[in-house]
């Protein structure tokens, strides 16, 4: 799967010939958690893929699972699926300082410069940044960029927490300010089936056991399987589809796991040219699963 390693400035770039298979990467990462010799700093390299053309059938499956309409442009969250396998490949390596199993997705920021046509050929790169302390351990950002015609058209920054880990920086990184949680009546009621994690795993490749079955989730400390954070985020973006500008920022903070099966409410509020949103419990509306803002 790996092509030649080049050099862009001080950072080595490893070109992959195809998308890494995530199942074997998760298995290998689990083995590495018990092996000595983990690196103490981030790898000074990027992973890249070039000449990617989206499979319309795969896009249709993704749209069906997340609730998007099928159009000429990629949904705002779809390029995350192009960067995520490279994220996992980078984090599963021996040179990555944090163990992949048990990483918690804290937040995600997406910046769309312009709509990306389904028919466009794109290039993808992923790097790791900001390995810093966190009150509960250590955190790191995995940054993916998608470019077309030599220009960046999409960027996604995923922030992960490793509980109990230590980072070179002793001071926790300041958390970005969160938008105020909207209140009032729900804009939508979601009935989230128990197989949602397996359905999203089938289209995303994210086969983390915490999302698949009650038994595999319990082995990782959860009472039952939980929804992927990026499925919940995509479901929010799909609900607001058609009310967003072409160039958009999408910021999400993940607060509480959404257990499967479950029922949840989406609540929204206008914020200038954007929308604030939250996904909350139905019987316990004080339980916030995620909060964020999408728009200009």
């Amino acid at each position: 799967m790996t092509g030649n390693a080049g050099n862009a400035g001080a950072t080595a770039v490893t070109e992959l010939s195809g998308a890494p298979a995530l199942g074997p990467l998760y298995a290998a990462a689990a083995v590495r958690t018990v092996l000595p010799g983990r690196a103490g700093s981030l790898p000074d390299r990027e992973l890249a893929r070039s000449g990617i053309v989206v499979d319309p059938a795969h896009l249709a499956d993704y749209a069906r699972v997340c609730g998007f309409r099928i159009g000429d442009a990629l949904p705002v969250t779809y390029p995350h699926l192009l960067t995520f396998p490279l994220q996992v490949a980078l984090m599963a390596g021996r040179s990555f300082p944090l163990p992949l199993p048990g990483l918690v997705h804290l937040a995600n920021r997406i910046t769309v410069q312009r709509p990306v046509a389904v028919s466009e050929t794109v290039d993808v790169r992923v790097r790791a940044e900001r390995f810093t302390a966190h009150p509960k351990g250590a955190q790191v950002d995995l940054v993916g960029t998608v470019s077309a015609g030599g220009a960046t058209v999409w960027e996604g920054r995923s922030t992960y927490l490793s509980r109990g880990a230590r980072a070179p920086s002793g001071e926790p990184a300041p958390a970005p300010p969160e938008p105020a949680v909207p209140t009032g009546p729900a804009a939508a009621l979601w009935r989230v089936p128990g197989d949602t994690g397996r359905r999203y795993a089938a289209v995303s490749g994210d086969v983390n056991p915490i999302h698949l079955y009650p038994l595999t989730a319990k082995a990782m400390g959860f009472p039952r399987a939980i929804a992927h954070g990026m499925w919940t985020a995509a479901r929010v973006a799909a609900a607001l589809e058609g009310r967003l500008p072409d160039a958009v920022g999408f910021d999400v903070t993940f607060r509480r796991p959404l257990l499967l099966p479950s029922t949840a409410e989406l609540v929204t509020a206008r914020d200038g040219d954007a929308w604030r949103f939250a996904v909350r419990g139905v019987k316990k509306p004080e339980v916030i699963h995620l909060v964020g803002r999408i728009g200009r």
Side-chain angles (χ1 to χ4, degrees):
M1 298 294 290
T2 304
N4 296 326
N7 192 284
T11 302
V13 179
T14 300
E15 182 80 24
L16 305 184
S17 59
L22 299 191
L25 286 175
Y26 277 115
V31 172
R32 289 192 185 101
T33 60
V34 299
L35 297 178
R38 185 170 293 278
S41 59
L42 294 178
D44 189 19
R45 68 184 184 117
E46 296 183 351
L47 298 183
R49 286 186 62 205
S50 301
I52 300 171
V53 179
V54 170
D55 177 2
H58 181 262
L59 175 60
D61 290 341
Y62 175 82
R64 189 176 303 111
V65 170
C66 299
F68 287 104
R69 298 191 297 268
I70 298 175
D72 295 331
L74 298 179
V76 62
T77 51
Y78 184 86
H80 176 79
L81 269 61
L82 305 180
T83 68
F84 184 72
L86 276 65
Q87 286 190 29
V88 175
L90 196 60
M91 293 188 290
R94 187 78 173 267
S95 62
F96 197 76
L98 300 173
L100 175 60
L103 284 181
V104 178
H105 198 176
L106 293 180
N108 215 87
R109 174 170 177 75
I110 290 172
T111 304
V112 181
Q113 301 294 346
R114 64 162 176 82
V116 182
V118 175
S119 59
E120 284 190 79
T121 299
V122 298
D123 304 324
V124 174
R125 286 196 178 195
V126 167
R127 65 187 184 276
E129 294 182 352
R130 299 202 305 189
F131 179 28
T132 62
H134 183 277
K136 296 182 179 179
Q139 70 179 48
V140 66
D141 286 358
L142 273 292
V143 182
T145 59
V146 176
S147 60
T152 298
V153 292
W154 184 98
E155 180 178 278
R157 179 178 293 271
S158 301
T159 302
Y160 297 99
L161 165 68
S162 180
R163 297 182 187 275
R166 303 183 70 176
S169 169
E171 291 296 324
E178 290 182 4
V181 176
T183 59
L189 175 68
W190 298 346
R191 302 189 188 281
V192 188
D195 67 347
T196 300
R198 296 190 293 277
R199 293 175 63 223
Y200 185 78
V203 297
S204 69
D206 185 352
V207 293
N208 190 324
I210 63 176
H211 303 300
L212 303 182
Y213 299 97
L215 285 177
T216 56
K218 285 179 180 179
M220 303 295 288
F222 294 91
R224 56 185 193 266
I226 64 173
H228 295 74
M230 288 306 295
W231 173 84
T232 314
R235 192 69 187 84
V236 171
L240 294 169
E241 195 174 22
R243 289 178 277 178
L244 302 172
D246 288 342
V248 66
F250 185 26
D251 290 277
V252 178
T253 300
F254 303 107
R255 287 195 181 178
R256 296 281 294 273
L258 181 61
L259 298 174
L260 299 173
S262 191
T263 305
E265 292 179 338
L266 170 67
V267 57
T268 62
R270 287 304 301 253
D271 185 7
D273 292 333
W275 293 86
R276 289 183 290 114
F277 58 82
V279 175
R280 68 189 185 193
V282 175
K283 294 182 178 179
K284 296 182 178 180
E286 70 277 10
V287 174
I288 304 297
H289 299 290
L290 64 76
V291 61
R293 184 179 185 274
I294 185 168
R296 293 190 187 279

